[in-house]
Amino acid sequence: MERTSLTVVALLVCLSVVVVKGEDPYLFFEWNVTYGTISPLGVPLQGILINGQLPGPRINCTSNNNIVVNVFNHLDEPLLLTWNGVQQRKNSWQDGTPGTMCPIMPGTNFTYRFQVKDQIGSFFYFPTTNLHRAAGGFGGINVHSRALIPVPFDNPADEYNVFVGDWYNKGYKSLKKILDGGRTIGRPDGIHINGKSSKVGDKVAESLFTIEAGKTYRYRFCNVGMRTSVNVRFQGHPMKLVEMEGSHTMQNIYESLDLHVGQCFSVLVTADQEPKDYYMIVSSRFLKQAHLSSVAIIRYANGRGPASSDLPTPPPENTEGIAWSINQSRSFRWNLTASAARPNPQGSYHYGQINITRTFKIVNSRSEVDGKLRFALNGISHTDADTPFKLAEYFGATEKFFKYDLMADEFQTDLNKVTVAPNIKNGTFRNFVEIIFENREKTIQTYHLDGYSFFAVAIEPGMWSPEKRKNYNLVDAINRHSIQVYPNSWAAVMTTLDNAGLWNLRSEMWERFYLGQQLYFSVLSPARSLRDEYNLPDNHPLCGVVKGMPMPSPYKA
């Protein structure tokens, strides 16, 4: 009897070891979110720091790692963090948007748990609540390939995260008050690089990064700003583009690159010039009557001499500049011979041969409702509710908060006729869809879709019509999660709605997001199966009308 018991115990131990070995590694983080004084443009402001830092701590991980982030909210307001570009497969519960989660209340904590499933690339996190994005709280998510997956370039000597974007010298609470009062926050006051700004010739200019002659470095750029596209370039050093939002790209060489709000890319830069200081330059794009810029010093180890004041010429502006930027974006191509998160080549997914089952044609607009500024998609200006829509859906209480498909699939009404209401679109599980973004305004737009990546198949001036499909890139369009739409232009993307959950499609121009230029796709699996979507996590806070309601029957395998 005793021998039998020992055998059973030994068997159980062996089984437990097998389970542990079969699970992907875990990375644990503890973050304290606090206020702190920051001065990105030299003007002291109340900013949002994570563990006392801006940028915040970097999540440096590998494809399929499990990420556990315990977030303590020491602010005086509710807080949510979203993980821009992380697809959260089957797990919109961790997406960190007001439509999917109850916020982390002041003085409390919440532990995010998610997996970077089948992803690689450069992403970032930031707060989605109460215009917190204007105060900082951002940081990098670098997802590396697993050791057995070849990468289409040699390992760099080091890699650096560079967060760039516009900045306002008003605190985020003042900016929020302006928007709540129905007015625009206007043009930004400057450009920052990793939360700091400098001008050419500044005497007390610290180096941003130090490099060694003869070595190659990877720079992961992300535009974390509020509304401004930027151009990035290095003095005397061309850039080789190698990755964009999770896809390896054809490795073209660029003297400068446009980077739009919410977007990220990686470039390789080789230290092959005279050892001294050089400027990295970040300048604004498509801002009327304003040109904003900032520089940072890239220093050669043991280098001698300051950076030259002779800066590389920025790309053109106005109409010529838009054409230049469109042409550059068309040069970005998917590297079909490279592997991504899986061993198979990226090009093995032939998206151009799949029939489109549904088309959404979305037109953005700016108008006033009851004398206050609002932004809309197809005439619907989204507003949030006290109960997150995902929770209302899960608990069967949707009729209390919203109607599905209030927004038509195709714009059919007056741009000046706007309805302020929750904008929730039904998306059929596993449908292959086409989304057309048509921008009839005079300002550039950027859109992002949570939960997915999509194929950015076309960007063109003018109005979209079905015959424009003949111009689509159906072979090697970049698979990414954001797309810019130039003034009086359109952009088309394609994706498969194979990720069950509730997913935010939003303007990355945060004034527009805050005042309604967003929607949610509700993608439900008819099977109600754990194979398609996870249950509500045990630690998930409840709020609004669902608090105290009986728990629904859980999904089963």
Side-chain angles (χ1 to χ4, degrees):
M1 185 68 177
E2 184 177 351
R3 179 176 296 179
T4 302
S5 299
L6 289 173
T7 302
V8 171
V9 170
L11 179 60
L12 289 175
V13 170
C14 289
L15 286 174
S16 66
V17 170
V18 170
V19 170
V20 170
K21 284 185 176 180
E23 194 166 10
D24 291 298
Y26 279 77
L27 299 180
F28 295 89
F29 302 86
E30 184 173 297
W31 290 356
N32 287 281
V33 183
T34 62
Y35 292 121
T37 301
I38 58 175
S39 307
L41 303 182
V43 177
L45 294 171
Q46 183 188 62
I48 294 176
L49 309 178
I50 300 179
N51 292 353
Q53 306 172 38
L54 182 72
R58 180 172 62 183
I59 296 178
N60 208 33
C61 58
T62 299
S63 176
N64 291 353
N65 281 177
N66 294 285
I67 312 299
V68 181
V69 188
N70 192 2
V71 177
F72 291 83
N73 179 14
H74 298 285
L75 308 182
D76 58 7
E77 298 177 340
L79 170 73
L80 281 174
L81 293 174
T82 194
W83 319 92
N84 208 62
V86 176
Q87 293 178 18
Q88 306 287 3
R89 300 298 299 179
K90 306 192 293 185
N91 198 18
S92 63
W93 304 113
Q94 308 293 318
D95 198 38
T97 59
T100 58
M101 296 181 64
C102 300
I104 308 168
M105 300 306 291
T108 69
N109 69 298
F110 175 76
T111 302
Y112 289 90
R113 295 181 174 89
F114 58 89
Q115 186 179 26
V116 284
K117 181 68 173 172
D118 292 333
Q119 287 190 265
I120 55 135
S122 306
F123 313 108
F124 68 98
Y125 59 84
F126 68 92
T128 58
T129 37
N130 286 346
L131 219 68
H132 289 152
R133 180 163 172 161
F138 55 78
I141 308 171
N142 299 349
V143 188
H144 299 269
S145 294
R146 291 173 288 167
L148 62 92
I149 308 296
V151 175
F153 49 88
D154 292 335
N155 287 334
D158 207 341
E159 60 178 42
Y160 301 121
N161 286 82
V162 188
F163 301 100
V164 300
D166 54 19
W167 192 265
Y168 290 79
N169 281 333
K170 294 183 176 69
Y172 83 89
K173 292 182 179 180
S174 297
L175 294 174
K176 181 178 181 297
K177 187 175 181 180
I178 291 170
L179 293 180
D180 290 342
R183 296 175 292 133
T184 177
I185 58 176
R187 288 195 299 270
D189 296 298
I191 299 289
H192 74 86
I193 303 173
N194 280 3
K196 297 179 181 180
S197 63
S198 297
K199 300 299 180 186
V200 172
D202 282 357
K203 293 182 179 179
V204 190
E206 299 177 359
S207 62
L208 182 65
F209 304 116
T210 299
I211 59 179
E212 295 184 25
K215 294 185 177 181
T216 297
Y217 296 83
R218 180 176 184 171
Y219 294 85
R220 297 177 185 256
F221 283 92
C222 291
N223 186 336
V224 297
M226 294 283 284
R227 64 181 296 175
T228 308
S229 297
V230 298
N231 180 267
V232 299
R233 53 201 183 275
F234 290 82
Q235 192 177 46
H237 294 74
M239 299 173 286
K240 180 186 289 185
L241 183 68
V242 295
E243 177 260 331
M244 182 174 287
E245 298 180 4
S247 290
H248 293 306
T249 63
M250 296 301 293
Q251 296 178 13
N252 297 326
I253 304 296
Y254 298 90
E255 297 297 325
S256 72
L257 282 163
D258 279 355
L259 180 60
H260 306 281
V261 182
Q263 298 182 356
C264 299
F265 56 61
S266 293
V267 297
L268 297 180
V269 177
T270 299
D272 57 2
Q273 299 298 307
E274 176 189 351
K276 64 186 190 73
D277 288 355
Y278 293 87
Y279 284 122
M280 172 197 294
I281 306 100
V282 181
S283 56
S284 62
R285 296 286 277 147
F286 318 124
L287 274 185
K288 291 182 179 179
Q289 301 174 338
H291 182 75
L292 306 174
S293 66
S294 182
V295 299
I297 289 178
I298 307 299
R299 177 161 293 160
Y300 275 70
N302 302 316
R304 297 179 181 180
S308 167
S309 60
D310 185 15
L311 299 184
T313 304
E317 286 289 336
N318 302 321
T319 304
E320 183 184 354
I322 291 172
W324 183 95
S325 192
I326 290 176
N327 286 334
Q328 183 179 84
S329 71
R330 288 174 178 165
S331 73
F332 303 150
R333 299 295 176 120
W334 211 20
N335 187 343
L336 300 184
T337 63
S339 300
R342 295 179 176 179
N344 54 303
Q346 298 191 69
S348 61
Y349 183 69
H350 300 292
Y351 67 93
Q353 299 175 15
I354 305 174
N355 292 327
I356 297 167
T357 53
R358 190 175 181 183
T359 296
F360 302 92
K361 182 182 176 183
I362 298 175
V363 180
N364 53 276
S365 63
R366 171 182 176 147
S367 59
E368 289 190 356
V369 177
D370 298 328
K372 292 188 175 183
L373 178 65
R374 295 295 300 187
F375 297 96
L377 298 174
N378 287 5
I380 306 298
S381 184
H382 175 81
T383 184
D384 289 314
D386 292 336
T387 303
F389 307 114
K390 179 60 179 172
L391 283 175
E393 194 172 63
Y394 190 74
F395 280 83
T398 56
E399 71 281 353
K400 298 178 183 292
F401 300 103
F402 65 89
K403 294 180 180 179
Y404 291 104
D405 297 322
L406 193 63
M407 186 190 88
D409 284 9
E410 185 168 346
F411 183 69
Q412 297 172 334
T413 186
D414 184 354
L415 279 173
N416 295 313
K417 185 179 179 181
V418 171
T419 300
V420 179
N423 194 356
I424 316 295
K425 290 291 293 180
N426 260 319
T428 305
F429 189 48
R430 295 185 176 140
N431 265 15
F432 187 70
V433 302
E434 170 190 51
I435 306 175
I436 312 299
F437 299 101
E438 192 171 274
N439 179 17
R440 302 179 186 177
E441 298 185 63
K442 296 179 181 179
T443 56
I444 192 169
Q445 310 290 319
T446 310
Y447 292 95
H448 165 87
L449 178 59
D450 280 353
Y452 298 93
S453 59
F454 49 61
F455 296 96
V457 296
I459 296 176
E460 288 193 0
M463 307 276 278
W464 183 86
S465 58
E467 58 267 22
K468 297 290 185 179
R469 292 189 179 115
K470 68 179 183 296
N471 298 336
Y472 286 4
N473 176 359
L474 298 180
V475 177
D476 59 356
I478 297 288
N479 188 236
R480 55 188 308 180
H481 57 75
S482 67
I483 187 73
Q484 73 271 16
V485 193
Y486 295 92
N488 298 308
S489 300
W490 59 269
V493 304
M494 294 175 170
T495 192
T496 302
L497 299 180
D498 59 353
N499 192 13
L502 190 80
W503 305 108
N504 191 220
L505 173 66
R506 60 176 174 264
S507 170
E508 284 287 336
M509 277 55 176
W510 218 243
E511 174 184 62
R512 289 174 170 267
F513 168 86
Y514 186 81
L515 293 180
Q517 196 168 312
Q518 56 170 309
L519 60 83
Y520 285 88
F521 278 114
S522 173
V523 183
L524 296 175
S525 166
R528 292 181 60 87
S529 169
L530 288 174
R531 289 171 296 177
D532 300 327
E533 185 175 12
Y534 296 139
N535 283 310
L536 178 73
D538 292 338
N539 72 326
H540 203 92
L542 300 180
C543 56
V545 300
V546 303
K547 193 172 184 179
M549 289 180 65
M551 291 296 296
S553 299
Y555 297 160
K556 298 180 180 179

